[in-house]
């Protein structure tokens, strides 16, 4: 069946395009800030293939702030490029480490994705970093990432007036989980503040900066 364009659909598309264009200055500012932070923090502790990661995270942050998603045209080539860099650096061992990091990132973030805490693009972005740096860096990086992401998300929800709804859902989820002895999570309702989405690529970029400056969260360098 061929979809037809109605006047209402065309108006909605124009409004979406105007909204996305309105975020462009903010998205560029965030991307520049992330890039500057990565370059500065790399002076303290330079992770392998930092220029590739910097380029990827700047583009991911820009796209996520402007469109509230990280597109496949960015994550797919970045993932292949990361595996290529690993292979060029360490040969088959590098390729193995890249694939292990990629797979571990997917496994660790599957549950947050399943309960809609993270989007598919967020998971793929972390998989890119896993492929680029291998599995050994993922544990401390994920701690920084989830901590920073949770803080940013909570601050956004509180600032937007969604704190009461958030508390209600968390309490209800805890009560249901305790009563049924099975993990139960009540997602946010459509149209609520919590469902508007948070550009998690910003948290990923800040997590890499924190990792480079202070090392693992439980053993600062």
């Amino acid at each position: 069946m061929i979809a037809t364009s109605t006047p209402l659909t065309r108006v909605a598309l124009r409004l979406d395009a105007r909204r996305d264009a309105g975020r462009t200055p903010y998205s560029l500012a965030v991307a520049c800030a992330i890039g500057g932070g990565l370059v500065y923090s790399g002076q303290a502790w330079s992770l392998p293939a930092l220029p590739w990661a910097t380029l990827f995270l700047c583009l991911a942050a820009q796209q996520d702030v402007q469109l509230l998603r990280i597109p496949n045209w960015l994550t797919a080539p970045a993932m292949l490029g990361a595996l290529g860099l690993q292979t060029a650096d360490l040969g088959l061992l590098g390729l193995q480490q890249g694939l292990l990091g990629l797979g571990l990132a997917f496994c660790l973030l599957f549950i947050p994705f399943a309960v809609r805490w993270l989007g598919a693009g967020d998971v793929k972005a972390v998989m890119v970093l896993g492929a680029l740096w291998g599995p050994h860096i993922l544990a401390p990086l994920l701690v920084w990432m989830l901590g920073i992401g949770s803080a940013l998300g909570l601050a956004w929800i509180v600032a937007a007036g969604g704190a009461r709804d958030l508390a209600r859902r968390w309490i209800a989820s805890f009560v249901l989980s305790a009563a049924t002895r099975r993990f139960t999570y009540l997602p946010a309702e459509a149209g609520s503040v919590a469902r508007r989405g948070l550009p998690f690529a910003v948290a990923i970029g800040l997590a890499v900066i924190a990792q480079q400056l202070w090392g693992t969260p439980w053993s600062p360098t």
Side-chain angles (χ1 to χ4, degrees), residues 110-174:
F110 178 78
I111 291 180
F113 168 71
V115 298
R116 299 182 181 179
W117 290 348
L118 295 178
D122 303 326
V123 177
K124 293 173 188 176
V126 180
M127 290 171 66
V128 171
L129 299 183
L132 185 62
W133 293 325
H136 65 283
I137 201 71
L138 278 177
L141 186 60
L142 285 175
V143 172
W144 281 117
M145 196 181 305
L146 295 177
I148 293 173
S150 299
L152 289 176
L154 184 60
W156 163 251
I157 291 174
V158 171
R164 180 175 298 179
D165 175 68
L166 179 68
R168 179 188 60 79
R169 287 189 297 106
W170 281 8
I171 293 173
S173 297
F174 175 78

Side-chain angles (χ1 to χ4, degrees), residues 172-185:
S173 297
F174 175 78
V175 171
L176 286 174
S177 298
T180 61
R181 296 184 181 180
R182 295 178 58 184
F183 175 74
T184 303
Y185 172 72

Side-chain angles (χ1 to χ4, degrees), residues 7-104:
L8 183 59
T9 301
R10 290 193 292 270
V11 170
L13 291 175
R14 284 197 294 268
L15 289 175
D16 288 343
R18 185 178 301 176
R19 178 200 60 196
D20 294 340
R23 296 196 186 112
T24 299
Y26 304 104
S27 67
L28 292 175
V30 169
C32 291
I34 293 292
L38 288 167
V39 171
Y40 173 78
S41 62
Q43 300 176 27
W45 179 35
S46 182
L47 291 170
L50 182 61
W52 184 267
T54 300
L55 177 61
F56 167 69
L57 289 172
C58 285
L59 289 173
Q62 188 277 325
Q63 288 290 300
D64 209 6
V65 171
Q66 182 165 350
L67 305 176
L68 291 180
R69 65 178 183 273
I70 306 174
N72 287 329
W73 63 258
L74 176 59
T75 54
M79 206 174 296
L80 293 175
L83 292 174
L85 286 174
Q86 281 275 36
T87 305
D89 186 32
L90 299 174
L92 290 178
L93 177 60
L95 178 60
Q96 180 185 16
Q97 290 297 306
L99 291 173
L100 285 174
L102 185 152
L104 181 60

Side-chain angles (χ1 to χ4, degrees), residues 72 106 153 173 192 212:
N72 287 329
F106 174 80
S173 297
S192 64
Q212 291 188 137

